[in-house]
Amino acid sequence: MSTATPTRAVSPLQGIGLVAEREIMSKLQSRAFVISTLVLFALALAAVMFGGFAAKQTSDTPVAVTSDASAFVANIPGLEITTVDDRAAAEKAVSDESVDAAVVADPASPTGFTVIAKTSAPDGLVMQLAERPTVTLLEPDTTNPGLRYIVSFGFGLLFLLAASTFGGTIASSVVEEKQTRIVEILISTVSTRTLLAGKVLGNTVLAIAQIVGMVAIAVIGLIVTGQTEVLTLLGSAMVWFAIFFLFGFILLASLFAAAASLVSRQEDLGSTITPITMLVMAPYFLVILFNDNPLVMTIMSYVPFAAPVGMPVRLFLGEAQWWEPVLSLLILVASCVLAILVGARIYDRSILRMGARVKLSEALKG
């Protein structure tokens, strides 16, 4: 009497598609996921709009200036100048509080002028009027420091939120299926590696969709607020960010799923995915603290876990050569393939082992 060998009902590609569809639909049917995504989009739009309107707001200081003192303030930015006839008219404007201060010619003053204020000296204006030596910069900044920080913060935060959210989703899903033994039913139809591939694919689609949505919102916000120059500078950097994020997330998702397969309870999940979570958080803090450090940013550009943040920021700042993103992407793709192979090995040899946590060395050895 012979025993028939069970056969799987679907091909690997069909299985990957079915598992990916299951992952996507389960998230889209989750009210918490939909609401959190909409809130995230709303916050992103509000941040871009606020930044644009704040940049448009002028904080010019109203100053009264006599005609014979106009030369002293001619090249000072940030002043709303009102020309008056003489010192008496300047003093009246200050007294009426129609201006914050006045600048009048004064031959007796060492500087040739006098600043008139009502109750206290306007420190900002005085500092602007102070004589300063000519400064020659050998390596001047090509990007506004404030804009550099905002863009670095944006790329870092976007990567952190998307990678941690969907990476955590994959890990929780793996443990839930293992704890409820649903995985035993699933692998009766598809192989463990097909199941892993479907999970990674489904969550990658969701993560990329969220990234594209955030980028679209940023573009719309920049256009509405008239920040077309910033949009022009960000264009290529955002495209590269999406490409790098795709492979970077696949790498991390494979590791999240593999780490989750080592445990059988949700309570034990935190201890296994903490190292991977640290890898996700590291680029965010590094780019915030060292966005003005060329050496750190260059190293980040070639480290697979940090490249999705480091390289787009350097491209935006104009600090990367044309060949650098290509080389960095090749390194990331190679690391991604390695992570998939290692992750699939761990997942395949741990997903059906219940009870105590499976040691990493045991999972690798089989």
Side-chain angles (χ1 to χ4, degrees):
M1 180 177 181
S2 61
T3 303
T5 302
T7 58
R8 292 187 170 87
V10 296
S11 66
L13 288 179
Q14 290 176 324
I16 292 173
L18 290 172
V19 175
E21 181 182 0
R22 176 175 177 269
E23 291 289 318
I24 294 172
M25 294 307 299
S26 65
K27 294 299 292 182
L28 294 180
Q29 292 173 0
S30 170
R31 181 177 299 179
F33 173 76
V34 174
I35 293 176
S36 63
T37 300
L38 293 177
V39 170
L40 184 62
F41 286 173
L43 291 175
L45 180 60
V48 174
M49 299 288 284
F50 176 78
F53 292 135
K56 286 185 174 182
Q57 291 180 350
T58 59
S59 56
D60 293 346
T61 303
V63 177
V65 181
T66 55
S67 57
D68 52 358
S70 58
F72 299 113
V73 297
N75 298 321
I76 298 178
L79 298 182
E80 182 182 340
I81 298 175
T82 301
T83 304
V84 294
D85 296 331
D86 51 26
R87 181 174 183 136
E91 292 179 352
K92 184 177 184 303
V94 173
S95 298
D96 296 342
E97 297 185 353
S98 56
V99 295
D100 292 348
V103 179
V104 299
D106 185 358
S109 172
T111 59
F113 62 86
T114 295
V115 177
I116 301 173
K118 187 172 183 179
T119 58
S120 61
D123 294 335
L125 177 61
V126 172
M127 292 179 63
Q128 287 179 299
L129 289 169
E131 294 185 5
R132 294 177 294 177
T134 301
V135 178
T136 301
L137 299 177
L138 298 179
E139 298 181 4
D141 285 335
T142 56
T143 307
N144 182 288
L147 184 59
R148 170 195 290 262
Y149 180 84
I150 292 173
V151 171
S152 301
F153 175 81
F155 279 134
L157 183 62
L158 194 55
F159 177 79
L160 173 64
L161 291 177
S164 60
T165 298
F166 292 100
T169 297
I170 291 177
S172 296
S173 174
V174 169
V175 176
E176 180 182 358
E177 291 174 354
K178 187 174 180 178
Q179 187 173 9
T180 58
R181 296 186 177 273
I182 293 178
V183 66
E184 297 177 6
I185 300 175
L186 293 174
I187 63 173
S188 66
T189 305
V190 297
S191 68
T192 54
R193 299 199 174 197
T194 297
L195 180 60
L196 174 62
K199 284 184 172 297
V200 172
L201 176 61
N203 283 276
T204 299
V205 170
L206 289 171
I208 290 296
Q210 193 174 81
I211 291 293
V212 171
M214 295 287 285
V215 170
I217 287 174
V219 170
I220 294 172
L222 291 173
I223 292 175
V224 170
T225 56
Q227 301 179 81
T228 54
E229 294 182 0
V230 177
L231 179 60
T232 302
L233 294 173
L234 274 173
S236 61
M238 289 192 293
V239 172
W240 277 108
F241 175 76
I243 296 172
F244 272 88
F245 179 84
L246 171 62
F247 293 100
F249 180 78
I250 293 175
L251 183 153
L252 290 168
S254 302
L255 297 182
F256 268 113
S261 68
L262 297 174
V263 297
S264 303
R265 301 187 309 163
Q266 293 287 350
E267 294 84 353
D268 301 328
L269 181 60
S271 61
T272 61
I273 66 171
T274 295
I276 308 172
T277 304
M278 297 298 291
L279 292 177
V280 174
M281 296 175 63
Y284 171 74
F285 290 106
L286 286 173
V287 80
I288 292 299
L289 297 174
F290 300 104
N291 62 81
D292 57 349
N293 188 314
L295 177 60
V296 175
M297 294 300 297
T298 301
I299 295 174
M300 284 182 61
S301 300
Y302 294 100
V303 176
F305 301 104
V309 177
M311 184 56 75
V313 171
R314 290 187 64 222
L315 288 169
F316 168 75
L317 298 175
E319 297 176 353
Q321 300 296 323
W322 67 267
W323 52 267
E324 290 192 74
V326 178
L327 177 59
S328 177
L329 185 60
L330 290 175
I331 295 174
L332 178 58
V333 171
S335 302
C336 183
V337 173
L338 179 61
I340 291 173
L341 294 176
V342 174
R345 183 182 182 90
I346 296 172
Y347 185 88
D348 184 45
R349 301 183 179 190
S350 304
I351 192 64
L352 292 179
R353 297 180 63 176
M354 303 296 176
R357 173 180 171 177
V358 180
K359 294 182 179 179
L360 181 60
S361 58
E362 293 179 3
L364 289 172
K365 292 178 181 178

